[in-house]
């Protein structure tokens, strides 16, 4: 991983083969003091894709029954990653294609970069956010 920071608060993150996407982005946020920010772009390829998505509308209280987890092997062309950093923790969504299907969802740990990854994080120094459980125990952004 290599990072570059502009004078106006943009952090560009280059991930190389073998880097772990979410883990590296979390490290980059820590290294560049990104407490609150926005991941405005992300592209690359992963050699595996770990995501979850909400697969129902009734939202049971037990969160383990709300999500479908996908652990997908093979080469995945990542066409977009975006999300918000709150309290230094990225909450990201991804869209990816393996040559046959397109999938999307919440990016989970364990996604290994296959060829490259390029991400842009925009620091928001004038705003301080964190997440707290809200209705149905859903993590919601709150001003700190």
């Amino acid at each position: 991983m290599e990072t570059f920071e502009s004078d106006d608060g943009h952090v560009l993150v280059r991930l190389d083969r073998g880097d772990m996407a979410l883990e590296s982005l979390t490290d980059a946020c820590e290294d560049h003091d990104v407490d609150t920010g926005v991941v405005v772009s992300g592209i690359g390829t992963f050699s595996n894709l770990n995501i979850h998505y909400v697969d129902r509308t009734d939202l049971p209280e037990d969160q383990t029954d709300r999500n479908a987890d996908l652990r997908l092997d093979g080469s995945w062309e990542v066409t977009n990653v975006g999300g918000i950093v709150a309290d230094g923790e990225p909450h990201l969504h991804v869209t990816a294609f393996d040559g046959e299907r397109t999938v999307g969802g919440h990016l989970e740990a364990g996604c290994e970069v296959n060829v490259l990854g390029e991400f842009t994080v925009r620091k928001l120094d004038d705003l301080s956010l964190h997440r707290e459980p809200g209705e149905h125990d859903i993590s919601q952004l709150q001003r700190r």
Side-chain angles (χ1 to χ4, degrees), residues 104-122:
H106 178 98
L107 185 66
E108 294 288 345
C111 297
E112 185 175 342
V113 173
N114 184 22
V115 177
L116 67 85
E118 296 175 339
F119 302 86
T120 305
V121 180
R122 173 67 170 111

Side-chain angles (χ1 to χ4, degrees), residues 5 9 12 18 22 31 35 38-39 45 49 51 60 76 102 106 108 134 137:
E5 186 170 350
L12 281 76
L22 183 59
D31 293 347
D35 180 69
V38 181
V39 176
T45 60
L49 185 64
I51 61 174
W76 289 90
T102 301
H106 178 98
E108 294 288 345
D137 203 29

Side-chain angles (χ1 to χ4, degrees), residues 69-83:
D69 295 313
L70 296 178
R71 305 287 183 240
L72 304 167
D73 292 325
S75 182
W76 289 90
E77 186 71 22
V78 176
T79 59
N80 188 50
V81 174

Side-chain angles (χ1 to χ4, degrees), residues 42-75:
I43 60 163
T45 60
F46 294 165
S47 58
N48 62 304
L49 185 64
N50 298 329
I51 61 174
H52 81 262
Y53 64 95
V54 177
D55 67 344
R56 55 193 306 164
T57 59
D58 58 332
L59 296 181
E61 287 302 315
D62 183 1
Q63 286 196 18
T64 59
D65 289 338
R66 293 184 194 171
N67 298 323
D69 295 313
L70 296 178
R71 305 287 183 240
L72 304 167
D73 292 325
S75 182

Side-chain angles (χ1 to χ4, degrees), residues 36 122-128 143:
T36 300
R122 173 67 170 111
K123 275 200 270 192
L124 301 174
D125 290 328
D126 59 342
L127 183 62
S128 183
R143 190 177 289 271

